[in-house]
Amino acid sequence: MQEKYMHILEFNEVLNSVAEQAVYSESKEQILKLEPSTNFETVKKLLKRTEMAMILCLRYGMPDMLQFDDMDIILKKIEQGGIASLKELINILQMLRTVKNLKRWYIEFIQKEQEKEQEFNREFNNLAELKTLYHTLEDAIISEEELSDNASPNLFNIRRELKQNANAIKEELWQFAKTPETKKYLQEGTVTIKNGRFVLPVKSEHQSKINGLVHEASASGSTLFIEPEAVVSGNNKIRLLEAAEKEEIYKILRELSNKVLKDLEQLKNNWRLILFFDMLFAKAKYAIQINAINPELTEDSKINLRGARHPLLPQGAAVPIDIVMPKETSTLVITGPNTGGKTVTLKTAGLLALMAMSGLLIPAKEGSTVSVFKNILVDIGDEQSIEQNLSTFSGHIKNLVQILKIADSHSLVLVDELGSGTDPVEGAGLAVSILNELKSKGAKTIATTHYSELKMYALNTPNVQNASCEFDIETLKPTYKLILGIPGKSYAFNIAERLGIEQKIIENAKKCIDEGKLRFEDVVNKLNNTQQELQEKIDANETLKKELEIERNKLKVMQAEVMQQKEELIEKFKAETEPIIEFLQKSLKHTATELEEIKKEGNIKRLEELRTKFKTDIHSKLGKISFKNDKQNINNGKTHFKSGDTVLVLSLHKEGVLTSNPDKNGFVNVKLGNISTKISTLDLKLCKTQNLTNKISHFKTTTSRVSRKAATELHLRGLTAEEATAELDKFIDDAIISGLHSIVVVHGKGTGVLKSAVHNYLKSSRVVKSFRLGKYGEGEDGVTIVEL
């Protein structure tokens, strides 16, 4: 893969963006040196690893990679017998801390998943924590300038003695400075250090009053720093102890360097693996940043980029485009106006291929396909290029000569404005000839042009396809959409007219153009308009489809909620009525016993008392049944009902119309749809309005499409599965109210979809005892007999 072609496609800019995500300068350098691989299996493995790293980063976050200097220099110094400084040892410690972080991240998160295929098991397992060396360095080193007192017993003793001697000298000098004879000679009553020795600040005129050595004078000369004779011996001892400390530190650093040397190979391996992970996570972070995916990889030169975006353009500004070249298509000829996005399309196709071949995920939609090419050959040089100025014709030709020499069946060739920069007739002929030559070599070619001859070439040549960059003539702006199969227009006349060129000039210009070319451009224009109208209809249909799917899902959710509420009401009814039925059974038994006794006694008064008590108990128990937990729903005999009233049947939560006045026992006839039944007034509530309303206004009923031959027979033919299920549910409710034990459902034979929907519903219904297909004379497979 030639570097100049990668540079034209701005692959180096992508690598710069990836390198910015890395932690270590060595990783950044390696990323900037990345080259695309032409080996299919290698590319496949690289992409899979980057994808897995991205998934893990999204799932668990990034492992903590600490900063430290280049390990190659430090480890090489120790390998050659050098003694590491405290700073260099701290860098080694930081590297071991990073290894520890990586191992902890791996153990705590990755192994918990117990994934069968883990891309990085070998690399993580090869990281060596070197716990002995880690703890030795951590215990010995405090900072880049200081070793711990516990680095060795001898260092501990030296520093303890140093401290004791220093304290003794300071105490002696303080006592000396406090005496009245001395105090008046001092500039200030403090003890200070000069040249590593404890001294007193003495006024220069009293130098003779203090016996000792003068070490330094102040800038003004008014103060002399004198070491009294009494502390000279102590200061000398401190200097000797300081020398011993330095010698001991050197010895400790040498011992620590030797310990590092013993683990040198494992440290080198750790450094190599840390750089591997740093590069890998840099790729993953960049993939997350550009919202990238792992494309399907092929070896057959197929290109299928869906919703592809140029990675160097801001995500909000980059318009996704589809670039599709099936295996059988060898050449794609892209036409359209200037600044219409043709060059960006070329660069996007080439750059995304380079990225994938380098193990970088690409900014496109799932389902995109990228092929592994041996060569990606590029001739792009236009005013839109970031890196180049407008190329001359000779420059183009020189570049194309090299491309024609290299191109083969494993090459992707990208040519911008093929044949431009010279006489249009000769340039078009040369362009057609070059495309034919590339086609004969088996190369995959994408070329942009303004020449009508190349549009015709693409229309008439097998395995060559036209494509156009869509342009909005109203706004004079490109839409950056690539339309396959249709050649594009340059829109030169339209743009010139919109920008103010007089109409007569436009008409004269058209007369100068060959009539055949004009007719061809008119055909292209009609094709573009038809394509645009078709696309608008497709977009509208897609929008409608999505809206219908949303509504369908809402209806499914609502249906499920209604079914759940129905089941809950049934369970609640059972829970409330079972204890009442049990009470009534006991009450009836007890009453029967009392009646026998009254009969024997002939006590009419007691009989009347018993009747009243029994009636009160019954009403009291029935009054406790409430399906809305609202006592106002129970009438307790206080509401006056009359024929024609609209009422709500509480136990069924359905509205009906009274067809009779209440009888002496408090029962009335109620018409519910096509069913009439007798219900106690205790189970009724008077509706505020006398007009029956549909409680669910946004549902469209299908009852007009349903015909019932009789109250026991339901016809469902012609309905959808969902409509039939809803109608069957309502019909069974009506049948139960009417006290029916058997119904007939007519669904027809047809494709069997309606029958299957009916049977699935009947299986799930709690009120269905059994069901079967009809026998001979009953309708056979076209009907289902249901026992309730």
Side-chain angles (χ1 to χ4, degrees):
M1 201 70 66
Q2 293 193 27
E3 186 177 346
K4 70 172 182 177
Y5 298 133
M6 293 191 291
H7 186 73
I8 292 171
L9 292 173
E10 300 169 288
F11 182 60
N12 58 314
E13 295 299 323
V14 171
L15 293 183
N16 281 330
S17 298
V18 178
E20 288 174 4
Q21 308 299 323
V23 176
Y24 308 108
S25 56
E26 293 75 16
S27 307
K28 295 179 189 290
E29 289 175 10
Q30 290 184 28
I31 290 170
L32 294 175
K33 294 176 183 177
L34 272 179
E35 291 186 1
S37 172
T38 57
N39 182 279
F40 179 81
E41 292 301 325
T42 300
V43 173
K44 190 174 181 180
K45 184 177 180 180
L46 288 171
L47 285 171
K48 187 177 180 182
R49 287 196 154 196
T50 306
E51 180 186 35
M52 180 61 71
M54 179 182 72
I55 291 170
L56 296 177
C57 288
L58 288 170
R59 193 180 296 172
Y60 306 122
M62 289 292 300
D64 192 8
M65 311 277 278
L66 303 177
Q67 286 281 2
F68 50 86
D69 294 340
D70 183 357
M71 279 293 110
D72 286 329
I73 298 172
I74 297 171
L75 296 177
K76 187 175 182 180
K77 174 183 176 180
I78 294 173
E79 187 177 23
Q80 292 175 346
I83 296 175
S85 66
L86 277 173
K87 182 180 179 181
E88 290 167 338
L89 290 172
I90 280 185
N91 276 283
I92 293 171
L93 182 58
Q94 283 288 85
M95 183 176 73
L96 290 175
R97 285 171 178 156
T98 300
V99 169
K100 187 178 179 181
N101 291 340
L102 284 167
K103 296 282 277 189
R104 183 171 63 244
W105 185 79
Y106 171 67
I107 292 167
E108 289 183 2
F109 296 116
I110 311 308
Q111 285 190 345
K112 279 184 181 178
E113 293 294 313
Q114 296 179 345
E115 295 176 17
K116 293 179 181 178
E117 292 185 16
Q118 179 50 250
E119 282 296 308
F120 319 115
N121 277 340
R122 184 171 63 85
E123 283 80 8
F124 276 113
N125 290 329
N126 284 340
L127 284 168
E129 287 193 68
L130 304 176
K131 293 181 180 179
T132 302
L133 178 61
Y134 174 83
H135 291 301
T136 300
L137 294 176
E138 192 172 50
D139 292 342
I141 302 170
I142 293 176
S143 69
E144 294 180 1
E145 293 83 25
E146 185 179 3
L147 269 177
S148 169
D149 292 351
N150 297 318
S152 76
N154 194 29
L155 182 63
F156 180 83
N157 292 332
I158 291 170
R159 286 182 173 174
R160 183 180 60 182
E161 193 173 350
L162 261 172
K163 190 175 181 181
Q164 290 172 348
N165 277 271
N167 288 338
I169 292 174
K170 282 192 287 183
E171 182 62 28
E172 187 174 352
L173 287 176
W174 274 113
Q175 294 299 328
F176 181 68
K178 285 179 183 179
T179 60
E181 308 84 56
T182 307
K183 191 174 183 180
K184 58 186 177 183
Y185 304 135
L186 301 181
Q187 195 66 263
E188 53 187 53
T190 59
V191 176
T192 188
I193 297 175
K194 293 293 178 181
N195 301 321
R197 303 177 78 87
F198 289 101
V199 296
L200 291 174
V202 180
K203 295 174 183 177
S204 57
E205 62 268 24
H206 299 302
Q207 177 183 356
S208 60
K209 305 296 183 183
I210 303 293
N211 291 325
L213 301 172
V214 177
H215 284 277
E216 200 174 306
S218 66
S220 64
S222 61
T223 303
L224 299 174
F225 297 97
I226 298 175
E227 178 185 3
E229 288 181 354
V231 298
V232 169
S233 176
N235 272 330
N236 287 340
K237 188 172 183 180
I238 286 176
R239 297 305 294 271
L240 290 172
L241 287 170
E242 285 174 346
E245 181 188 29
K246 286 182 180 179
E247 186 178 346
E248 182 62 21
I249 288 172
Y250 178 81
K251 181 181 176 183
I252 292 169
L253 292 178
R254 186 175 59 197
E255 289 175 355
L256 291 175
S257 298
N258 288 333
K259 288 180 179 179
V260 170
L261 185 62
K262 289 179 182 178
D263 293 324
L264 191 66
E265 291 306 314
Q266 287 179 303
L267 288 168
K268 284 182 179 180
N269 189 56
N270 279 349
W271 176 228
R272 181 183 62 80
L273 290 172
I274 286 171
L275 292 179
F276 164 80
F277 283 118
D278 191 29
M279 288 179 63
L280 187 66
F281 290 132
K283 290 180 181 180
K285 284 188 280 187
Y286 181 67
I288 294 169
Q289 189 180 87
I290 63 172
N291 194 23
I293 57 102
N294 183 7
E296 182 184 341
L297 206 63
T298 68
E299 293 181 278
D300 56 7
S301 300
K302 178 182 176 183
I303 298 173
N304 184 11
L305 296 172
R306 301 289 182 180
R309 291 170 282 106
H310 196 290
L312 298 179
L313 293 175
Q315 286 202 44
V319 179
I321 57 173
D322 295 341
I323 307 172
V324 181
M325 287 187 72
K327 182 181 178 181
E328 59 275 10
T329 300
S330 68
T331 308
L332 191 66
V333 177
I334 304 175
T335 49
N338 289 325
T339 71
K342 301 190 301 296
T343 306
V344 172
T345 300
L346 287 183
K347 286 187 173 183
T348 301
L351 186 54
L352 266 55
L354 288 174
M355 287 175 66
M357 291 164 65
S358 304
L360 298 173
L361 305 188
I362 64 171
K365 289 183 180 178
E366 293 290 346
S368 293
T369 302
V370 175
S371 191
V372 175
F373 294 99
K374 179 182 175 183
N375 294 294
I376 297 180
L377 309 170
V378 184
D379 179 42
I380 298 175
D382 66 301
E383 60 189 6
Q384 295 176 9
S385 175
I386 297 169
E387 300 294 334
Q388 290 181 282
N389 295 320
L390 187 67
S391 299
T392 62
F393 176 71
S394 59
H396 277 297
I397 294 301
K398 186 177 180 181
N399 202 13
L400 286 167
V401 168
Q402 289 181 307
I403 289 173
L404 289 168
K405 286 180 181 178
I406 301 170
D408 57 17
S409 58
H410 301 290
S411 300
L412 173 64
V413 180
L414 306 171
V415 185
D416 195 27
E417 301 296 347
L418 181 59
S420 63
T422 187
D423 177 76
V425 175
E426 293 179 355
L430 187 61
V432 170
S433 182
I434 289 171
L435 289 181
N436 273 329
E437 179 65 17
L438 291 170
K439 184 171 178 287
S440 69
K441 289 175 174 286
K444 210 78 165 177
T445 305
I446 306 177
T448 69
T449 184
H450 285 286
Y451 293 143
S452 296
E453 289 84 353
L454 264 68
K455 300 175 189 178
M456 292 295 297
Y457 167 77
L459 285 172
N460 298 321
T461 308
N463 301 327
V464 180
Q465 190 175 9
N466 269 306
S468 58
C469 288
E470 191 178 64
F471 189 81
D472 189 338
I473 193 61
E474 295 299 323
T475 61
L476 297 181
K477 291 181 180 179
T479 64
Y480 298 104
K481 288 183 181 178
L482 187 68
I483 302 172
L484 299 175
I486 298 177
K489 283 191 66 178
S490 296
Y491 292 102
F493 293 152
N494 306 75
I495 294 171
E497 186 176 0
R498 290 292 302 275
L499 293 177
I501 297 292
E502 292 182 19
Q503 184 64 37
K504 64 179 183 179
I505 298 175
I506 302 294
E507 292 302 322
N508 287 332
K510 287 181 179 179
K511 291 176 183 178
C512 296
I513 298 176
D514 180 76
E515 187 177 344
K517 287 186 178 181
L518 277 177
R519 285 201 300 270
F520 177 73
E521 287 299 319
D522 287 340
V523 171
V524 170
N525 192 37
K526 289 177 182 178
L527 278 173
N528 281 325
N529 291 337
T530 303
Q531 169 69 22
Q532 192 169 357
E533 290 172 7
L534 181 61
Q535 189 61 45
E536 287 174 358
K537 289 178 180 179
I538 290 171
D539 292 343
N541 285 335
E542 284 297 320
T543 302
L544 182 60
K545 184 180 176 182
K546 289 177 182 177
E547 289 174 355
L548 288 173
E549 186 63 26
I550 291 169
E551 290 302 317
R552 182 171 175 271
N553 290 334
K554 285 181 180 178
L555 286 173
K556 282 185 176 181
V557 171
M558 292 178 71
Q559 185 182 27
E561 289 176 352
V562 169
M563 291 298 293
Q564 185 179 353
Q565 289 173 6
K566 178 181 174 182
E567 296 294 334
E568 288 173 355
L569 283 173
I570 291 171
E571 291 299 323
K572 187 172 182 181
F573 177 75
K574 286 181 180 179
E576 291 186 353
T577 55
E578 282 175 0
I580 294 171
I581 292 170
E582 186 179 350
F583 167 79
L584 291 177
Q585 287 173 340
K586 290 180 180 178
S587 180
L588 282 171
K589 187 176 180 180
H590 179 69
T591 303
T593 304
E594 288 196 56
L595 282 172
E596 285 297 324
E597 293 177 1
I598 293 169
K599 184 179 178 182
K600 291 176 183 178
E601 298 174 0
N603 190 339
I604 300 302
K605 183 180 179 181
R606 188 180 172 196
L607 179 63
E608 183 61 28
E609 289 175 355
L610 181 63
R611 187 188 71 80
T612 303
K613 180 178 181 301
F614 183 70
K615 184 177 178 181
T616 302
D617 289 343
I618 295 297
H619 279 236
S620 174
K621 286 295 177 183
L622 290 177
K624 292 181 180 179
I625 301 176
S626 168
F627 290 96
K628 290 187 177 180
N629 294 323
D630 185 356
K631 294 182 179 179
Q632 292 179 356
N633 289 338
I634 306 302
N635 299 297
N636 292 326
K638 294 179 182 180
T639 303
H640 299 286
F641 296 97
K642 63 181 182 298
S643 179
D645 284 346
T646 301
V647 294
L648 176 67
V649 181
L650 298 174
S651 59
L652 300 174
H653 198 58
K654 289 182 179 289
E655 288 184 359
V657 179
L658 299 187
T659 56
S660 71
N661 293 326
D663 61 18
K664 60 180 181 178
N665 295 320
F667 283 82
V668 292
N669 290 325
V670 183
K671 187 174 183 181
L672 299 163
N674 296 327
I675 306 296
S676 291
T677 186
K678 184 173 282 190
I679 298 175
S680 170
T681 55
L682 295 171
D683 194 21
L684 302 178
K685 179 182 177 182
L686 191 63
C687 290
K688 292 181 181 180
T689 175
Q690 296 302 307
N691 296 319
L692 290 175
T693 57
N694 188 345
K695 294 296 183 181
I696 309 174
S697 59
H698 57 279
F699 282 137
K700 292 183 179 180
T701 63
T702 58
T703 53
S704 61
R705 297 167 60 186
V706 180
S707 63
R708 291 194 176 96
K709 187 175 180 180
T712 61
E713 192 170 304
L714 174 65
H715 285 243
L716 300 175
R717 284 176 295 189
L719 302 182
T720 65
E722 289 183 0
E723 290 170 347
T725 302
E727 190 61 28
L728 179 57
D729 180 75
K730 184 177 182 301
F731 187 84
I732 288 176
D733 285 348
D734 293 344
I736 291 170
I737 293 169
S738 301
L740 297 177
H741 297 291
S742 177
I743 60 171
V744 178
V745 182
V746 181
H747 44 65
K749 297 179 182 179
T751 60
V753 174
L754 202 56
K755 179 177 71 175
S756 177
V758 168
H759 286 191
N760 286 337
Y761 173 83
L762 295 174
K763 287 176 186 177
S764 64
S765 177
R766 295 190 179 187
V767 298
V768 174
K769 182 178 180 182
S770 63
F771 63 91
R772 62 175 175 81
L773 290 172
K775 298 177 182 177
Y776 181 79
E778 293 180 328
E780 300 178 14
D781 291 350
V783 302
T784 296
I785 312 299
V786 184
E787 295 293 326
L788 302 175

